[in-house]
Amino acid sequence: MSVSWALPFDKEIRIKSNKEIDINTYKKIHEASITDVKSFWSSVATELDWFKPWERVLDDSNPPFYKWFVGGELNASYLSVDRHARGWRKNKVALIWEGEPLDNNGNPKEVRKLTYQDLYREVNRVAYLMKERYKLKKGDTIAIYLPMIPELPIFMLAAARLGVVFTVVFSGFSSDALANRINDAEAKLLITADGGWRKGKIVELKNIADKSLEKTPSVRHVIVVRRTGAKVNMVEGRDEYYDDVMKDVPLNTYVEPERVKSEDPLYILYTSGTTGKPKGIVHDTGGYMTLLHATMKWVFDIRDEDVYWCTADIGWVTGHSYIVFGPLMEGATEVMYEGALDYPKPDRWVSIIERYGVSVLYTSPTAIRSFMKYGDSWIKSHDTSSVRLMHSVGEPINPEAWEWFWKLVGREEIPFGSTWWMTETGGIMISHLPGLYLIPLKPGTNGMPLPGIQADVVDDNGNPAKPETRGYLVIKQPWPGMPLTIYKDPERYVNVYWSKFPNMFYAGDYAVKDDDGYFWVLGRADEVIKVAGHRLGTYELESALIEHPAVAEAAVIGVPDPIKGEVPYGFIILRQGYSPSPQLTQEILKTVREKVGPIAVIDKVFFVGKLPKTRSGKIMRRVVRAVITNSQVGDITTLEDEASVDEIRKAYEEFK
Ligand code: 6R9
């Protein structure tokens, strides 16, 4: 658990809003919404454009494999593109994209603006390509490993158009991570690029992908988008450049959107858990799109005149839901960027706000804390007055960072929340709802569960936890946007999420409800860590560590960090014949980078002779963590050898 601050439960901030209501009124509205979630969500879903209406709102005959809007047919690509391109939003800008290399004045050298008509054209052409050239059909899977360029959402939307299930792999993951995902998903096509720009360097995606492709027999074709112009290896008969294959596809190509069933999968997104390899979370179409529609309205209050910007990467769920499907379904104008928020200078992000007049901003606590570190002047030198609403996501936000940001960018007058949700929930679950009803703000809180979402904090026995007491976050009724399953592993889906407490979805987070009923998510209760908002499993990092020939055993824990929220520390037992050295540390870290990817940076490595273990041999990471964070070690009666605790303490003291 990464939170070390005292929660300011009593601090209440009221802002001017015609949606303002007091917390008790909200509670009554919420209570009413969850007495009958089926009719509640059914009324929301009617706002979507269905090809065929559903026959049953919820099929709950086989819990926890719930199916929403059964019998209904729709298409996520049609909802996101066709409706706007064929109506009055035809010439409205959907996507404003800027690339990374910026000039000396901090202006982008490349900006692309795609209207809904442009998007429609490209999505149709790519769908045609997938269907006719690569013979993909509904139910096939593909993998996408692209930088943050417009082709990324275009390929996702084109796949959705055909009912082809896609899995996007974040461009910070390694060849091994990519290969594992491709193999689990049995992807037939891989879309990648000759590279992408990040902080002045080229991320060589095709070169990385080449290594994966040595062990991914399912992939028959690779499409390579030219982005950097770098020369890459092209395998005859397998690899083709995007611009080459698109040459023959006419501009007026139309591919009829597949009428997919509501419960048909839209995508698979791999995410880390406590143990084992990453889990392929499968999202449906009808429920997922319904939740996105609701949250775009309620949480972001999205309007046609807005310029919306979510600063996440599409490789994570936040980008899937709130860069691709959510905002486009609502016909919004949004900003997308390649590179980093603070490169070449710490004001890149504020200059983006200024340049495009961003009005709705969705960003992360890590970003906010790093802006805070750079200092106010970078922000003050730009005009951010267009921002009228903002939220953060990915990790808890500490009240200091919240207040600083709210004063400086929020002018102490606009709604600013911290939306809680996760890959598994598909969309936002706990939040402030400035577009619907606005309860008073509190710095650092997540707010209240959305209407139709029955979230709660429970104790070890699954009973509601007392107010202001730490418990586990659960969701007590099915919701649209919930996973269909874990890909090819339904049993694991039941075990991980539905077995800790009967009939409740266990999120894996610690949380507190305050006396007013506000939720405060504190951090993970399991072995998942959030490094700069990126979700990593300690198990994956440990597996990568022990790949190095010098490493006999390894334990990784998340340690609080003032900017990134958490950073991983690694504790290593070396094999006989090896001794600690800075060079060995570097080598070991390189192995982790190769196995997991450049995002997996282990902050510190400690060499120890013993690790705290249970008598059955399980490493007790919580004991390691307690020593490092100087907190109560707790019950260590199951510990096999108490000297291991001193070992950790000693190694850490020496480092300090
Ligand atoms: C959307 C996303 C999920 C985990 C989740 C929790 C943490 C996300 C948060 C938050 C406190 C918030 N988390 N938002 N904690 N306040 N507003 O991040 O999905 O990558 O699957 O991570 O992130 O710990 O369990 P994902």
Side-chain angles (χ1 to χ4, degrees):
M1 196 180 70
S2 62
V3 179
S4 50
W5 58 81
L7 299 171
F9 285 145
D10 311 329
K11 190 157 180 177
E12 239 187 55
I13 298 172
R14 285 168 187 275
I15 54 174
K16 267 199 230 120
S17 161
N18 57 1
K19 306 273 170 62
E20 192 190 352
I21 58 173
D22 63 73
I23 184 75
N24 288 326
T25 312
Y26 181 74
K27 278 186 194 157
K28 280 191 202 124
I29 294 169
H30 182 261
E31 201 54 44
S33 75
I34 58 169
T35 50
D36 182 356
V37 289
K38 291 185 198 174
S39 57
F40 178 82
W41 285 109
S42 135
S43 72
V44 176
T46 51
E47 292 172 18
L48 267 56
D49 208 342
W50 296 77
F51 296 144
K52 180 171 166 270
W54 56 91
E55 284 144 26
R56 272 174 87 184
V57 180
L58 179 68
D59 175 354
D60 49 9
S61 60
N62 182 25
F65 301 95
Y66 297 95
K67 290 179 187 154
W68 282 89
F69 310 118
V70 180
E73 289 174 1
L74 76 173
N75 184 289
S77 173
Y78 173 85
L79 290 181
S80 308
V81 184
D82 298 39
R83 283 185 314 145
H84 313 309
R86 288 191 189 159
W88 65 268
R89 292 195 184 97
K90 187 174 189 157
N91 286 306
K92 184 180 172 182
V93 174
L95 216 59
I96 308 173
W97 173 85
E98 66 166 63
E100 177 176 282
L102 294 122
D103 67 18
N104 293 336
N105 299 320
N107 291 314
K109 292 181 183 161
E110 268 176 287
V111 175
R112 283 170 69 184
K113 290 188 182 172
L114 279 83
T115 62
Y116 275 97
Q117 178 173 233
D118 297 332
L119 201 58
Y120 175 77
R121 239 177 226 142
E122 292 312 297
V123 168
N124 271 289
R125 294 178 73 216
V126 173
Y128 176 88
L129 202 66
M130 288 187 187
K131 191 174 168 184
E132 301 300 332
R133 189 178 186 96
Y134 300 107
K135 307 287 177 228
L136 293 168
K137 52 184 191 319
K138 185 170 172 239
D140 285 341
T141 53
I142 63 166
I144 308 179
Y145 187 55
L146 281 175
M148 282 286 283
I149 53 175
E151 284 71 20
L152 175 48
I154 288 170
F155 271 98
M156 293 162 76
L157 291 161
R161 193 169 193 85
L162 302 175
V164 165
V165 181
F166 59 85
T167 187
V168 176
V169 181
F170 174 56
S171 59
F173 279 125
S174 69
S175 57
D176 278 4
L178 174 62
N180 293 340
R181 286 159 173 79
I182 290 176
N183 285 336
D184 191 74
E186 294 170 80
K188 294 185 169 157
L189 172 72
L190 170 69
I191 299 108
T192 186
D194 59 3
W197 289 97
R198 188 171 160 83
K199 299 205 174 192
K201 294 201 187 96
I202 291 178
V203 184
E204 297 176 350
L205 295 173
K206 175 64 166 70
N207 291 349
I208 301 170
D210 279 341
K211 282 197 205 125
S212 320
L213 290 162
E214 288 166 13
K215 43 193 166 187
T216 52
S218 62
V219 176
R220 292 190 229 136
H221 298 281
V222 180
I223 302 180
V224 182
V225 180
R226 271 188 245 256
R227 165 73 195 123
T228 63
K231 206 175 148 23
V232 294
N233 168 49
M234 298 290 282
V235 173
E236 184 72 40
R238 188 195 67 188
D239 305 355
E240 292 174 305
Y241 279 113
Y242 176 59
D243 48 328
D244 289 346
V245 289
M246 281 287 269
K247 270 192 201 118
D248 310 329
V249 186
L251 284 178
N252 62 353
T253 303
Y254 173 71
V255 176
E256 173 115 15
E258 191 76 26
R259 296 167 67 111
V260 305
K261 291 209 246 16
S262 174
E263 70 272 26
D264 278 340
L266 178 60
Y267 64 80
I268 306 168
L269 183 58
Y270 288 84
T271 190
S272 301
T274 293
T275 54
K277 59 183 173 95
K279 305 180 286 256
I281 300 297
V282 189
H283 279 297
D284 74 336
T285 306
Y288 180 71
M289 294 302 274
T290 300
L291 180 62
L292 295 190
H293 168 66
T295 49
M296 284 309 300
K297 293 265 184 237
W298 303 344
V299 178
F300 296 105
D301 187 25
I302 197 75
R303 302 174 198 171
D304 263 306
E305 60 274 27
D306 277 320
V307 176
Y308 166 95
W309 183 27
C310 167
T311 67
D313 191 294
I314 294 176
W316 304 95
V317 75
T318 303
H320 281 61
S321 297
Y322 295 109
I323 298 180
V324 185
F325 293 104
L328 296 178
M329 170 164 53
E330 300 306 311
T333 294
E334 66 172 327
V335 176
M336 178 178 168
Y337 72 107
E338 180 192 36
L341 293 174
D342 59 352
Y343 184 88
K345 298 216 182 80
D347 63 345
R348 165 133 191 241
W349 71 279
V350 244
S351 74
I352 289 179
I353 293 178
E354 183 179 56
R355 212 163 13 254
Y356 310 112
V358 170
S359 55
V360 175
L361 178 68
Y362 197 25
T363 192
S364 71
T366 290
I368 293 170
R369 287 188 295 258
S370 61
F371 305 150
M372 205 170 159
K373 183 189 75 185
Y374 292 127
D376 302 13
S377 59
W378 290 105
I379 298 182
K380 287 185 177 152
S381 60
H382 292 274
D383 177 10
T384 57
S385 61
S386 54
V387 181
R388 68 167 184 91
L389 189 157
M390 34 189 210
H391 287 290
S392 92
V393 63
E395 16 155 5
I397 183 159
N398 47 317
E400 300 74 32
W402 188 96
E403 288 189 58
W404 177 83
F405 203 67
W406 189 60
K407 279 188 184 137
L408 215 56
V409 182
R411 310 176 299 279
E412 296 190 60
E413 62 181 30
I414 67 171
F416 179 25
S418 168
T419 61
W420 178 85
W421 61 293
M422 56 202 298
T423 306
E424 293 82 342
T425 66
I428 296 167
M429 300 272 105
I430 304 176
S431 175
H432 280 85
L433 308 166
L436 189 62
Y437 314 104
L438 187 64
I439 54 169
L441 307 178
K442 294 185 188 189
T445 182
N446 296 106
M448 293 285 289
L450 264 53
I453 302 297
Q454 195 185 358
D456 203 355
V457 178
V458 298
D459 64 18
D460 286 314
N461 302 319
N463 300 316
K466 288 197 202 76
E468 314 212 346
T469 315
R470 190 182 86 176
Y472 302 100
L473 189 62
V474 295
I475 304 173
K476 291 180 164 172
Q477 288 199 69
W479 70 96
M482 67 194 309
L484 286 171
T485 185
I486 292 176
Y487 194 57
K488 297 201 292 203
D489 204 348
E491 215 175 298
R492 194 169 174 207
Y493 178 60
V494 177
N495 291 340
V496 175
Y497 304 105
W498 298 93
S499 300
K500 189 168 171 79
F501 305 109
N503 304 321
M504 296 181 209
F505 172 87
Y506 170 59
D509 278 315
Y510 282 131
V512 174
K513 266 206 287 188
D514 69 18
D515 280 332
D516 293 328
Y518 282 65
F519 282 60
W520 302 71
V521 176
L522 304 174
R524 299 290 307 181
D526 58 11
E527 306 300 343
V528 167
I529 50 179
K530 293 293 297 262
V531 184
H534 296 158
R535 180 165 165 184
L536 294 170
T538 49
Y539 175 85
E540 287 146 74
L541 298 174
E542 288 165 2
S543 311
L545 282 170
I546 56 176
E547 295 267 335
H548 190 280
V551 179
E553 286 183 70
V556 171
I557 58 160
V559 177
D561 179 87
I563 306 283
K564 293 183 181 170
E566 272 183 304
V567 290
Y569 278 13
F571 295 82
I572 288 171
I573 303 179
L574 288 176
R575 281 183 200 284
Q576 290 253 307
Y578 289 92
S579 50
S581 74
Q583 196 201 338
L584 183 61
T585 306
Q586 287 316 313
E587 265 182 40
I588 292 172
L589 291 179
K590 192 165 154 252
T591 308
V592 178
R593 206 160 42 240
E594 280 167 10
K595 295 289 160 195
V596 186
I599 47 154
V601 182
I602 297 196
D603 205 59
K604 297 262 164 349
V605 170
F606 301 91
F607 296 101
V608 292
K610 287 181 190 136
L611 284 168
K613 284 189 196 150
T614 60
R615 291 195 182 100
S616 57
K618 254 181 90 185
I619 296 175
M620 296 176 84
R621 296 190 194 85
R622 97 181 145 75
V623 174
V624 183
R625 197 181 305 116
V627 173
I628 302 304
T629 56
N630 210 2
S631 49
Q632 287 288 330
V633 174
D635 179 12
I636 49 168
T637 47
T638 54
L639 200 65
E640 170 206 46
D641 181 356
E642 276 187 43
S644 59
V645 177
D646 298 327
E647 281 259 345
I648 303 282
R649 193 169 285 131
K650 213 175 97 222
Y652 187 57
E653 288 299 325
E654 276 167 18
F655 150 73
K656 277 203 302 188

